[in-house]
Amino acid sequence: MVTMLSLPFVAVVILVCMSLAAMLFKRNMIKIVMAVHVMGSAVNLFLISLGYREGGVAPIFTNSPGGVMVLPAPQALTLTSIVINIAVVALMLSFAVSLYRRYGTMDTRKMRLKG
Amino acid sequence: MMEHAPALVIAFPLFAAFASHLIGRLGSRIRDIWVFASLLLTWLFAVFLNLEVMQRGTYAYTLGADISSLASPAGFPVRIVLVIDGMSALIAFMAVSVTLASFIYSRRFMERVSGGGESADRYCSLVLLFLAGMLGMGLTGDFFTLFVFLEMTSISSASLVAFFRKGSSFEAAFKYMIISAINALFLLFGIGMIYSQYGLLNMAAIANEMVLNFSFLDKVALSLIVSAILLKLGSVPVHMWKVDVYQKVPSSVAVMCITSSLVGIYVLSRILFSVFFSMSALTGWMIVCLGSLSIIVGVSMALPQKDLKRMIAYASIAEIGYVMLGIGTGLAGMSSTFGTVALSGGVFHIINDALDLGLMFLIAGAVFYATGKTGISKLGGIAHRSASLSVLFIIGMLAVSGIPPFNGFVSKLIMYESVFCLNPVLSVIGILGSILMLSVFVKVFASVFLGSPYKGKFREIPLSMTAVMWIFALLIILLGLFPGLALDGLVSPAVEALLGHGIYMGVII
């Protein structure tokens, strides 16, 4: 049974599968980095949808209007993981740029460690 | 001051890492003194943690709480909790000691290979960040902090892999970064699944909940988390990144990379022993199978290698396999005597691996320092130029392949005997692996050290590098002759800590 609330989880699974496939089969370094970022976003989406409660308000107790609140912990986790993800992607892109300068190509098939 | 040692041991290298860049402006000598002093202080904190654990037993440290030993004021843990027990204190001590040795070794080594200056500043701060990540992974008591520190080690070690700024080192770094991005995200995905059911992130509290209701989703999360950590430590089906990384990274950092693999083993065993202990029979067999595969593949792939560091990297895959064999048997036979014995063999082998493979990598680095080469066929007759290097290589070679007077023999013998009770085939694989390992290293010894004297330019190896290598060698001999020292003092508290999941949960709940 697919309700509106389970839609994000379906999207998460599709995004993770897509990015894994891209990492395995794509030869272009930029596309691989994009796949890593998409996977990171998928996991962030997963965390955020875990914490969502239908009709919930922001989890701030002061002057709260009452009623259901969304969970605070997944939001904190997602914030941390976004920052980490950006660091990873930036580092990978800088490697890709340096590799492009050395070899003049983005194709991973044309560069291979020997041995 | 001292009651905050668990937090300080992580915070201090983190602070020193960023400060070393600023202090580097004052001059390279001051920066070296600063880095050395901060490593020494961190080492003292780690020693203190070990002494404290011996006195108090397992204890928790809550970050930011008024009473640091009170982990869950409202019945469940709300803050980040560090758990210090025999095993995590041992791992922290090992990580700091190896980093300290590697730093002393690297001073002259990096001067020669990178030319000092700005890049030496970068090197120091990356090494310190790497250390802080490893310590965090070792001491943390909750899953999310584990993820953060895992990413910290990945990012800093990937930057160190690319340190030489050659095309091939960027390739290795890119490959390593893809692998570590995948493993960190898998880990986070698994953590999210667990969080969705229990609303908790603390390992001990989750273990406490899982005793009552263990669901199918937990199994999915377990498989995600275990595959993530296997990627991190480079066991067989996912070992391909490891050889590239070890070949390209500076030798002094390769020693630390080995230690970070061993920290990965610790994290694996912590999760399997303390959180998912109800699945121990199944996971134990899985780890045992992967471990024996690692032994076979690692040793047989080491044989045809043409590069010294690449060959040692394959040998390190096999050695990780031995540790997994011991720990897996400990899981599969959790309540039996042979399981406990195998586990203590595995834990002892963690220490021995860091020493033996560390020594081999340091020797490879020294050969590179002296000649500027690592290709096996390009070298030859080094023994005529440096006798002490060849004696060190013989010690390391015999210790790695488990020959009697050295430490590798003790831990491997413990494992052969106990693994036999689980399945005789496993000890056959273990012994065969050791014999093949000896043949690999003898072949390399013959072609690198023996033969007509080395003709090319041979730089004198500085005292600091030789001294560090001899310290490793002396520890290898010491632990080989008096294994009781390590087995009673370090290994048995660690084994008790891993097996006592009740105590682990009791500290938090």
XYZ file of all heavy atoms in Angstrom, chain A residues 12 20 23 29 32-33 36 39-40 43 46-47 50 71 73-74 77 80-81 84 87-88 91-92 95 98-99 102-103 111-115, chain B residues 144 147-148 151 155 158-159 162 165-168 170-174 177-178 181-182 185-186 188-189 192-193 195-196 201 244 248 305 310:
539
model
N 13.683 7.497 -2.260
C 15.022 7.226 -1.727
C 15.600 5.973 -2.366
O 16.747 5.973 -2.844
C 14.957 7.076 -0.189
C 16.232 6.451 0.326
C 14.724 8.406 0.465
N 23.982 4.242 -7.509
C 24.901 3.088 -7.494
C 25.193 2.634 -8.913
O 26.344 2.357 -9.275
C 24.282 1.934 -6.707
C 24.669 1.820 -5.243
C 24.032 0.593 -4.643
C 26.171 1.735 -5.109
N 27.573 5.006 -10.529
C 28.946 4.850 -10.068
C 29.609 3.629 -10.685
O 30.801 3.624 -10.973
C 28.951 4.697 -8.550
C 29.006 5.990 -7.809
S 29.109 5.630 -6.082
C 27.703 6.472 -5.477
N 34.375 11.067 -14.955
C 34.601 11.339 -13.537
C 33.563 12.267 -12.954
O 33.131 12.101 -11.823
C 35.994 11.942 -13.344
C 37.079 10.912 -13.356
S 38.615 11.605 -12.829
C 38.992 12.693 -14.164
N 30.543 10.441 -12.062
C 30.720 9.649 -10.840
C 30.541 10.541 -9.607
O 29.860 10.175 -8.650
C 32.100 8.966 -10.838
C 32.167 7.938 -11.949
C 32.369 8.312 -9.502
C 33.512 7.320 -12.125
N 31.129 11.734 -9.670
C 30.990 12.655 -8.535
C 29.529 13.039 -8.341
O 29.022 13.096 -7.213
C 31.861 13.913 -8.750
C 31.698 14.866 -7.591
C 33.304 13.538 -8.882
N 27.775 10.334 -6.563
C 28.029 10.367 -5.113
C 27.147 11.392 -4.435
O 26.550 11.143 -3.386
C 29.527 10.658 -4.847
C 29.747 10.977 -3.389
C 30.370 9.487 -5.244
N 23.547 10.240 -4.253
C 23.377 9.248 -3.197
C 23.321 9.926 -1.828
O 22.487 9.577 -0.984
C 24.534 8.267 -3.241
C 24.287 7.025 -2.447
S 25.609 5.902 -2.809
C 25.146 4.564 -1.795
N 24.199 10.921 -1.643
C 24.170 11.650 -0.382
C 22.836 12.334 -0.163
O 22.259 12.287 0.931
N 20.184 9.812 0.877
C 20.242 9.433 2.289
C 19.724 10.561 3.167
O 19.013 10.328 4.153
C 21.678 9.013 2.667
C 21.773 8.730 4.141
C 22.083 7.790 1.892
N 16.086 10.493 3.111
C 15.632 9.392 3.964
C 15.567 9.831 5.428
O 14.555 9.626 6.106
C 16.590 8.213 3.790
C 16.293 7.029 4.662
C 15.096 6.353 4.547
C 17.221 6.588 5.588
C 14.824 5.256 5.340
C 16.959 5.503 6.384
C 15.757 4.839 6.267
N 16.639 10.475 5.890
C 16.679 10.909 7.293
C 15.570 11.917 7.585
O 14.883 11.830 8.602
C 18.034 11.537 7.615
C 19.218 10.581 7.719
C 20.481 11.359 7.962
C 19.001 9.589 8.829
N 12.203 10.361 7.781
C 12.017 9.586 9.013
C 11.446 10.462 10.121
O 10.598 10.026 10.894
C 13.371 9.067 9.517
C 14.006 7.900 8.825
C 15.300 7.585 9.539
C 13.086 6.729 8.869
N 10.471 15.348 14.432
C 11.583 14.953 15.305
C 12.793 15.849 15.062
O 13.139 16.130 13.914
C 11.982 13.500 15.036
C 10.907 12.449 15.259
C 11.508 11.066 15.102
C 10.303 12.591 16.635
N 16.093 15.306 16.080
C 17.390 14.658 15.872
C 17.723 14.428 14.398
O 18.824 14.754 13.956
C 17.465 13.366 16.662
N 16.783 13.903 13.570
C 17.137 13.681 12.164
C 17.529 14.963 11.452
O 18.382 14.940 10.566
C 15.855 13.118 11.550
C 15.133 12.533 12.655
C 15.443 13.373 13.836
N 21.070 15.603 12.312
C 21.913 14.648 11.587
C 22.065 15.061 10.139
O 23.161 15.027 9.567
C 21.294 13.243 11.618
C 21.003 12.604 12.950
C 20.662 11.148 12.748
C 22.176 12.729 13.869
N 24.496 17.930 9.595
C 25.883 17.461 9.653
C 26.244 16.711 8.382
O 27.315 16.918 7.805
C 26.059 16.532 10.857
O 25.370 17.071 11.955
C 27.509 16.344 11.184
N 25.336 15.859 7.948
C 25.679 15.021 6.807
C 25.740 15.824 5.513
O 26.519 15.498 4.616
C 24.729 13.843 6.730
O 23.993 13.847 5.577
N 29.246 17.341 5.550
C 30.251 16.325 5.235
C 30.215 15.986 3.754
O 31.238 15.858 3.092
C 30.011 15.072 6.097
C 30.337 15.385 7.546
C 30.850 13.920 5.614
C 30.029 14.274 8.482
N 31.935 18.493 1.675
C 33.389 18.361 1.763
C 33.875 17.229 0.866
O 34.843 17.380 0.114
C 33.804 18.110 3.209
N 33.156 16.105 0.912
C 33.563 14.951 0.103
C 33.511 15.291 -1.375
O 34.453 15.023 -2.132
C 32.652 13.743 0.416
C 32.860 12.640 -0.586
C 32.925 13.232 1.805
N 36.266 17.685 -2.439
C 37.563 17.017 -2.530
C 37.643 16.166 -3.794
O 38.642 16.183 -4.530
C 37.762 16.149 -1.286
C 39.119 15.509 -1.128
C 40.174 16.574 -0.997
C 39.157 14.610 0.082
N 36.543 15.437 -4.096
C 36.546 14.588 -5.278
C 36.661 15.423 -6.548
O 37.356 15.044 -7.486
C 35.280 13.747 -5.329
C 35.295 12.616 -4.340
S 33.807 11.653 -4.405
C 34.117 10.692 -5.844
N 40.184 16.476 -7.039
C 40.969 15.369 -7.609
C 40.700 15.251 -9.106
O 41.612 15.032 -9.900
C 40.616 14.038 -6.941
C 41.115 13.914 -5.535
C 40.469 13.096 -4.631
C 42.241 14.600 -5.121
C 40.929 12.983 -3.333
C 42.701 14.492 -3.832
C 42.045 13.677 -2.932
N 42.533 17.924 -11.000
C 43.967 17.644 -11.115
C 44.223 16.510 -12.107
O 45.186 16.560 -12.874
C 44.538 17.249 -9.763
O 44.058 18.092 -8.775
N 43.340 15.500 -12.088
C 43.516 14.392 -13.032
C 43.347 14.874 -14.462
O 44.070 14.454 -15.359
C 42.502 13.282 -12.738
C 42.894 12.335 -11.627
C 41.735 11.416 -11.300
C 44.082 11.506 -12.061
N 46.444 16.497 -15.607
C 47.545 15.577 -15.894
C 47.333 14.820 -17.197
O 48.240 14.653 -17.984
C 47.701 14.549 -14.768
C 48.050 15.118 -13.417
C 49.491 15.548 -13.369
N 49.909 15.969 -12.038
C 49.410 16.984 -11.345
N 48.407 17.689 -11.834
N 49.883 17.303 -10.161
N 46.088 14.327 -17.405
C 45.870 13.405 -18.517
C 45.113 14.028 -19.680
O 45.057 13.440 -20.752
C 45.084 12.180 -18.045
C 45.808 11.335 -17.033
C 45.345 11.213 -15.732
C 46.954 10.650 -17.383
C 46.008 10.438 -14.810
C 47.627 9.864 -16.465
C 47.154 9.770 -15.184
O 47.808 9.011 -14.290
N 42.908 6.091 -17.985
C 43.935 6.177 -16.947
C 43.782 4.952 -16.056
O 42.706 4.607 -15.630
C 43.745 7.451 -16.138
C 42.331 7.670 -15.718
S 42.097 9.209 -14.867
C 41.511 10.254 -16.133
N 44.832 4.284 -15.814
C 44.727 3.063 -15.017
C 46.034 2.871 -14.297
O 47.106 2.993 -14.893
C 44.431 1.877 -15.946
C 43.989 0.592 -15.289
C 42.744 0.733 -14.442
N 41.553 1.200 -15.124
C 40.732 0.406 -15.803
N 40.978 -0.857 -15.937
N 39.650 0.895 -16.355
N 45.967 2.623 -13.008
C 47.186 2.292 -12.269
C 47.693 0.950 -12.783
O 46.917 0.027 -12.951
C 46.863 2.170 -10.789
C 46.813 3.453 -10.004
C 46.291 3.155 -8.636
C 48.184 4.046 -9.916
N 48.967 0.901 -13.013
C 49.493 -0.351 -13.550
C 49.820 -1.326 -12.426
O 50.146 -0.931 -11.332
C 50.726 -0.060 -14.397
C 50.325 0.615 -15.693
C 51.455 1.460 -16.241
C 50.910 2.513 -17.164
N 50.650 3.783 -16.480
N 49.810 -2.634 -12.735
C 50.209 -3.652 -11.759
C 49.038 -4.424 -11.205
O 47.901 -4.102 -11.401
N 26.053 7.860 15.189
C 26.215 9.000 14.307
C 27.615 9.593 14.410
O 28.219 9.968 13.407
C 25.150 10.072 14.574
C 25.145 11.109 13.515
C 24.676 10.796 12.250
C 25.663 12.355 13.728
C 24.700 11.726 11.236
C 25.696 13.294 12.719
C 25.211 12.972 11.475
N 29.869 7.753 12.287
C 29.814 8.172 10.886
C 30.676 9.412 10.655
O 31.451 9.474 9.698
C 28.357 8.428 10.498
C 28.180 9.259 9.257
C 28.397 8.701 8.016
C 27.805 10.583 9.338
C 28.245 9.458 6.871
C 27.652 11.344 8.201
C 27.883 10.776 6.972
N 30.564 10.386 11.565
C 31.313 11.631 11.393
C 32.816 11.358 11.412
O 33.570 11.816 10.543
C 30.931 12.640 12.487
C 31.817 13.861 12.405
C 29.491 13.049 12.348
N 34.101 9.614 8.290
C 34.313 10.538 7.183
C 35.582 11.341 7.384
O 36.304 11.637 6.441
C 33.120 11.477 7.042
C 31.954 10.897 6.271
C 32.263 10.730 4.796
O 33.434 10.631 4.438
O 31.313 10.685 4.015
N 38.486 11.467 4.595
C 38.883 12.686 3.887
C 40.355 12.975 4.115
O 41.109 13.236 3.172
C 38.003 13.867 4.336
C 36.588 13.688 3.816
C 38.563 15.175 3.822
C 35.617 14.711 4.279
N 42.506 10.389 2.304
C 42.491 10.554 0.847
C 43.389 11.707 0.433
O 44.101 11.626 -0.567
C 41.074 10.788 0.355
N 43.388 12.790 1.228
C 44.281 13.898 0.888
C 45.736 13.477 1.019
O 46.590 13.929 0.260
C 44.027 15.089 1.799
O 42.670 15.264 1.985
N 46.893 11.594 -2.037
C 47.210 12.462 -3.174
C 48.389 13.360 -2.877
O 48.657 14.299 -3.614
C 45.991 13.307 -3.526
N 51.076 14.466 -5.459
C 50.563 15.237 -6.597
C 51.027 14.700 -7.935
O 51.363 15.442 -8.841
C 50.954 16.713 -6.463
C 50.437 17.307 -5.195
C 50.801 18.748 -5.058
N 49.755 19.403 -4.303
C 48.706 19.991 -4.842
N 48.570 20.037 -6.131
N 47.799 20.542 -4.096
N 51.092 13.367 -8.044
C 51.372 12.784 -9.350
C 50.044 12.313 -9.927
O 49.063 12.165 -9.205
C 52.299 11.582 -9.204
C 53.720 11.983 -8.903
C 54.582 10.731 -8.901
C 55.928 11.002 -8.314
N 56.341 9.988 -7.375
N 50.016 12.031 -11.224
C 48.790 11.556 -11.839
C 48.279 10.298 -11.167
O 47.115 10.191 -10.811
N 49.195 9.334 -10.935
C 48.739 8.061 -10.393
C 48.278 8.196 -8.954
O 47.362 7.494 -8.524
C 49.852 7.030 -10.496
O 51.029 7.545 -9.938
N 46.774 10.851 -7.696
C 45.422 11.404 -7.757
C 44.411 10.327 -8.127
O 43.293 10.307 -7.614
C 45.341 12.551 -8.765
C 45.842 13.854 -8.219
C 46.876 14.522 -8.833
C 45.278 14.393 -7.092
C 47.329 15.721 -8.328
C 45.728 15.599 -6.575
C 46.762 16.258 -7.203
N 44.832 9.422 -9.037
C 43.931 8.319 -9.400
C 43.573 7.472 -8.196
O 42.402 7.157 -7.954
C 44.630 7.423 -10.417
C 44.183 7.595 -11.823
C 44.987 6.690 -12.716
O 44.671 5.514 -12.780
O 45.954 7.170 -13.319
N 44.621 7.096 -7.436
C 44.378 6.269 -6.248
C 43.485 7.007 -5.270
O 42.561 6.427 -4.692
C 45.698 5.904 -5.586
N 43.718 8.331 -5.114
C 42.925 9.104 -4.158
C 41.477 9.190 -4.609
O 40.554 9.074 -3.804
C 43.518 10.498 -4.002
N 41.268 9.374 -5.926
C 39.900 9.460 -6.449
C 39.148 8.152 -6.207
O 38.020 8.140 -5.732
C 39.951 9.786 -7.945
C 38.620 10.150 -8.536
C 38.051 11.379 -8.280
C 37.948 9.255 -9.339
C 36.823 11.715 -8.815
C 36.715 9.579 -9.885
C 36.162 10.818 -9.614
N 38.338 7.762 -2.631
C 37.277 8.661 -2.187
C 35.907 8.136 -2.611
O 34.938 8.261 -1.857
C 37.543 10.037 -2.787
C 37.125 11.189 -1.936
S 37.792 11.117 -0.311
C 36.338 11.494 0.625
N 35.807 7.548 -3.818
C 34.518 6.962 -4.227
C 34.134 5.871 -3.238
O 33.009 5.822 -2.734
C 34.601 6.348 -5.639
C 34.953 7.399 -6.670
C 33.279 5.709 -6.027
C 35.194 6.801 -8.029
N 33.153 7.295 0.088
C 31.841 7.964 0.052
C 30.734 6.931 0.085
O 29.749 7.074 0.828
C 31.733 8.822 -1.196
N 30.894 5.848 -0.712
C 29.859 4.811 -0.715
C 29.730 4.203 0.676
O 28.632 4.035 1.200
C 30.186 3.710 -1.742
C 30.150 4.270 -3.149
C 29.193 2.571 -1.633
C 30.528 3.265 -4.189
N 27.982 6.501 3.176
C 26.551 6.690 2.955
C 25.767 5.421 3.279
O 24.659 5.489 3.801
C 26.299 7.152 1.521
C 26.813 8.574 1.282
C 26.727 8.943 -0.168
C 26.044 9.563 2.112
N 26.362 4.253 2.980
C 25.708 2.995 3.375
C 25.557 2.943 4.890
O 24.517 2.544 5.414
C 26.534 1.795 2.906
C 26.146 1.289 1.550
C 25.658 2.158 0.596
C 26.264 -0.048 1.228
C 25.299 1.710 -0.649
C 25.905 -0.505 -0.011
C 25.422 0.361 -0.957
N 25.376 5.439 6.934
C 24.356 6.393 7.369
C 22.959 5.866 7.084
O 22.037 6.022 7.889
C 24.581 7.733 6.665
C 23.774 8.914 7.179
C 24.080 9.132 8.631
C 24.099 10.156 6.402
N 22.810 5.197 5.949
C 21.524 4.599 5.573
C 21.121 3.546 6.621
O 19.977 3.542 7.118
C 21.684 3.957 4.201
C 20.411 3.804 3.425
C 19.266 4.491 3.779
C 20.366 2.979 2.311
C 18.103 4.350 3.051
C 19.206 2.834 1.571
C 18.077 3.522 1.953
N 20.131 5.204 9.796
C 18.782 5.753 9.675
C 17.726 4.685 9.889
O 16.715 4.920 10.564
N 17.965 3.489 9.329
C 16.986 2.402 9.515
C 16.828 2.040 10.975
O 15.719 1.803 11.463
C 17.438 1.177 8.738
C 17.089 1.255 7.301
S 17.587 -0.225 6.477
C 17.276 0.289 4.819
N 17.506 4.007 13.507
C 16.901 5.148 14.199
C 15.390 5.161 13.997
O 14.640 5.501 14.906
C 17.518 6.455 13.695
C 16.950 7.665 14.357
C 17.434 8.092 15.583
C 15.910 8.376 13.775
C 16.905 9.182 16.215
C 15.359 9.467 14.398
C 15.867 9.873 15.617
O 15.321 10.951 16.240
N 14.954 4.775 12.785
C 13.524 4.826 12.498
C 12.737 3.912 13.434
O 11.572 4.165 13.702
C 13.275 4.425 11.052
O 13.531 3.065 10.889
N 20.298 6.647 18.967
C 21.534 6.521 18.206
C 22.638 5.868 19.025
O 23.653 5.453 18.488
C 22.011 7.909 17.744
C 21.199 8.517 16.609
C 21.563 9.959 16.423
C 21.447 7.751 15.324
N 46.140 0.110 -4.363
C 46.485 1.393 -4.996
C 46.846 2.420 -3.944
O 47.832 3.143 -4.071
C 45.297 1.916 -5.809
C 45.043 1.071 -7.027
O 45.939 0.289 -7.371
O 43.960 1.185 -7.607
N 50.586 4.269 -3.258
C 50.796 5.674 -3.571
C 51.021 6.550 -2.356
O 51.572 7.631 -2.454
C 49.584 6.210 -4.352
C 49.517 5.664 -5.747
C 50.775 6.013 -6.505
C 50.984 5.075 -7.666
N 52.323 5.114 -8.204
N 53.524 -9.711 -7.635
C 53.663 -8.257 -7.668
C 55.092 -7.818 -7.981
O 56.046 -8.467 -7.576
C 53.232 -7.639 -6.347
C 51.768 -7.800 -6.054
C 50.874 -7.305 -7.156
O 51.116 -6.255 -7.731
N 49.854 -8.080 -7.481
N 53.331 -2.420 -3.146
C 52.118 -3.102 -3.581
C 52.072 -4.530 -3.045
O 51.027 -5.028 -2.629
C 52.090 -3.106 -5.106
C 50.715 -3.029 -5.691
C 50.803 -2.848 -7.186
N 49.508 -3.107 -7.779
C 48.519 -2.225 -7.812
N 48.689 -1.047 -7.299
N 47.371 -2.533 -8.357
